[in-house]
Amino acid sequence: MSMAGPGARPALLCAAALMNFILVFGTGADLVRFLSFRAVYHNITGGAPLCGDGVSWSVALRDSSVLRALGLDLVLLVLFSLQHSLLAWDPVKRACQSALGVLNRAMYCTTTALALQVLMRYWQPVTSAPCLWSVRSAPWDIWFPLICFTVHFLCWAVICSILLIFDYPELLGVKQVYYECLGLGDPLALKSARAQRLYAHLRHPVCVELLLVLWLLPTLTLDRCVLALYLSLYLALAHSLDAKDCAYLSSQLHSKLQLFSAPQGGSAEINSNSAEPKRD
């Protein structure tokens, strides 16, 4: 006789969603360290140089160690983009949905986190090539890293805020499991048609902030240039907003600003107005 009771499946689903949440959260913290901490903080603390100033480009580009490091970094980037795009391809997405059901979104986030962990773990810094730029003249050798640190901090804060606005539990697949356990169905199906259309087009709601994090640095090394250029092109190709999506975003932002600026007596009316698009 099986020992599994009627609550075994919801418990397993919740455990899988919780493990996915922990993995994604930890990977996000590692990504902040990978993209911002090493690239900015070493300038403030006077860490070891990230590139070889005494090496010419002609010598560096013939150096087998430089070429090997760049080749491995490109392979890691291609593997990440393949995972991130292949699992978002409609035929693959439908196959995974039929096989995994409510855990499909959690599986996508888990594999994305694992792909990022592999990329960060095996990324090869190129220290034997010149910097593309490096701010070292006083007083900007002190002030510009501090400016970069401030901008990076603000960008990550905005990214976290945007993810919360875009229903962070649903993006991670946690809300799908919660709704399944309560018998409420797919949470995306409860959203308005315009919201569903926006979610289908907007795969990366943090493009501008990520571009600032990738490029605004006191020192741009060759490997960081490859990373920033590749991910910038990937973000540009993945971003497919059109005029209708922008109009919907504008209306939602306007309703939320009204909600925060209105007196408490008028909040009920504004809440009903902001919920009106859900009837589309």
Side-chain angles (χ1 to χ4, degrees):
M1 183 176 179
S2 174
M3 296 293 292
R9 184 174 183 272
L12 291 174
L13 291 176
C14 291
L18 178 60
M19 288 188 292
N20 167 67
F21 176 82
I22 294 173
L23 176 62
V24 172
F25 186 84
T27 302
D30 288 339
L31 186 63
V32 173
R33 175 194 58 79
F34 179 74
L35 291 180
S36 294
F37 188 82
R38 174 180 174 268
V40 175
Y41 187 68
H42 86 282
N43 286 78
I44 300 176
T45 58
L50 296 178
C51 47
D53 293 332
V55 182
S56 65
W57 280 108
S58 59
V59 173
L61 294 179
R62 291 197 300 266
D63 190 338
S64 60
S65 63
V66 172
L67 297 177
R68 186 165 53 249
L70 290 177
L72 178 58
D73 293 342
L74 282 173
V75 168
L76 292 172
L77 287 169
V78 170
L79 289 177
F80 167 74
S81 59
L82 284 176
Q83 175 277 327
H84 209 55
S85 298
L86 185 63
L87 292 183
W89 189 34
D90 284 338
V92 176
K93 187 188 298 185
R94 287 193 295 268
C96 292
Q97 182 68 40
S98 62
L100 298 172
V102 72
L103 288 177
N104 180 45
R105 181 65 191 180
M107 180 275 299
Y108 179 79
C109 293
T110 297
T111 54
T112 299
L114 291 175
L116 280 174
Q117 288 287 354
V118 170
L119 186 147
M120 293 183 290
R121 171 65 178 81
Y122 294 102
W123 185 263
Q124 298 295 308
V126 178
T127 58
S128 301
C131 296
L132 278 82
W133 71 67
S134 183
V135 179
R136 296 179 184 176
S137 58
W140 292 108
D141 59 337
I142 299 297
W143 285 108
F144 192 65
L146 291 175
I147 292 172
C148 291
F149 174 83
T150 303
V151 173
H152 279 231
F153 177 83
L154 293 175
C155 285
W156 288 116
V158 171
I159 287 172
C160 292
S161 301
I162 292 176
L163 291 177
L164 290 175
I165 292 173
F166 271 81
D167 204 344
Y168 186 67
E170 185 175 342
L171 290 175
L172 289 185
V174 175
K175 193 172 183 179
Q176 287 86 332
V177 172
Y178 175 74
Y179 272 47
E180 173 71 14
C181 294
L182 295 181
L184 299 177
D186 184 4
L188 185 60
L190 302 178
K191 297 184 182 295
S192 69
R194 288 196 292 173
Q196 293 186 36
R197 186 177 187 275
L198 173 68
Y199 279 28
H201 288 176
L202 188 57
R203 292 177 52 195
H204 296 277
V206 290
C207 293
V208 175
E209 293 79 10
L210 275 178
L211 289 175
L212 281 174
V213 167
L214 288 171
W215 289 103
L216 186 63
L217 298 168
T219 300
L220 185 68
T221 61
L222 184 57
D223 63 288
R224 180 55 179 247
C225 181
V226 171
L227 175 72
L229 184 60
Y230 188 97
L231 292 182
S232 298
L233 291 174
Y234 184 76
L235 286 172
L237 293 174
H239 194 281
S240 57
L241 286 180
D242 57 17
K244 291 183 179 180
D245 294 322
C246 292
Y248 174 73
L249 278 175
S250 177
S251 65
Q252 291 299 298
L253 178 61
H254 181 68
S255 65
K256 287 180 172 58
L257 290 176
Q258 281 186 321
L259 179 64
F260 286 116
S261 61
Q264 291 185 352
S267 60
E269 180 181 355
I270 295 174
N271 278 332
S272 63
N273 291 336
S274 64
E276 185 176 353
K278 293 186 179 183
R279 296 196 295 268
D280 288 354

